[in-house]
Amino acid sequence: MTQPPSFSVISGAQVADVLTGHEKQVTAMVEQAYRLHGEGLTVNPDSYFLRFPERPSSRIIALPASVGGDVDVHGIKWISSFPENVAAGIPRASAVVVLNDTTTGYPLACLESSVISASRTAASAALAAVTLADRRGVTPRRVGFIGVGLIARYLHTYLVANGLSFDEVGVFDLDRGHAEGFEGYLTRSGEGRVTIHESAESLIAGSDLIVLATVAGEPHILDPELFSHNPLVLHVSLRDLSPEIILSSYNLVDDVDHCLKANTSPHLAEQRTGNRDFVDGTLYDLLEGRTTPPADRPVVFSPFGLGVLDLAVAKYVYDEVDAAGALLTVPDFFHEMKRYG
């Protein structure tokens, strides 16, 4: 008789132990997940947003997904974003991933997943940055970070781990204290020349690679002329750029249908034009050589963030913890197992 799997809980400390120092391996897993997605071997339904009328800046998002191929996993990420947490001294985002057994459908593990989410986000952006730089034949030497929370820290770690190095690093955040904290992190990481900018516009002008990792709900960077030096832009927070900037750039997304919704900047551009002709391809298209980024236009990568990435990384963590004999199982988690008592 088929038995349900045991149910395990994997802590954030265990997740961090597995992933820290293995950034290139995580990036390779994310690339594999993108390739499986491009080949039609995943199921990635729409994300579902739980919003609160009394707290319009806060949300909890469900990302169900299934990954085939060698990954072979089903599950869901449940991630909250409560920006007010930052003022209270705790991170904005928190998350769990639940993995389901592919044979019985029973949940087999719950993993703390803020680190998984940050890692897959950073790996996705780093993969895009390195591939775009290679295809353009232009290696960015001056990077600028707009919005400097935990995601920005992971992005910097993954960019460096994937072979990029910088002569200059720019920092801008609406909160000067956050900018100074990120400056301290960069200095401890070995970055030599770090500049805190007084405006996003100043940072953009001095950067070849721009990382947008804010909590902006609508565009706040408006003028396409700011990008006349044709930088590479990692538009991770999705809602920073005006439709005019999007329409004047080469645009790469992770998934067209997922990215062009929920009033992201590309979605606003679609509403403005009535079409999607400004989207030049997906990251999978880039990896497959189906699209070539130009050197004489700004290049913007806008990743909506796919649940298949979270599941691929979470499955890797689960397998590593299991192989180490360190799974914390919950006895009798599945209790009512006899149909008629």
Side-chain angles (χ1 to χ4, degrees), residues 233-248:
V233 183
L234 301 177
H235 188 202
V236 176
S237 37
L238 288 174
R239 296 173 177 83
D240 302 272
L241 303 177
S242 68
E244 291 80 9
I245 294 171
I246 294 293
L247 295 173
S248 65

Side-chain angles (χ1 to χ4, degrees), residues 160-194:
V160 172
N162 280 278
L164 293 180
S165 59
F166 307 106
D167 299 325
E168 301 176 27
V169 182
V171 177
F172 173 71
D173 195 281
L174 292 176
D175 187 308
R176 178 79 183 192
H178 295 166
E180 291 173 351
F182 194 64
E183 177 190 32
Y185 153 75
L186 291 168
T187 301
R188 293 191 302 274
S189 299
E191 295 290 356
R193 186 174 175 184
V194 181

Side-chain angles (χ1 to χ4, degrees), residues 6 9 64 138 320:
S6 59
V9 176
V138 180
E320 290 294 301

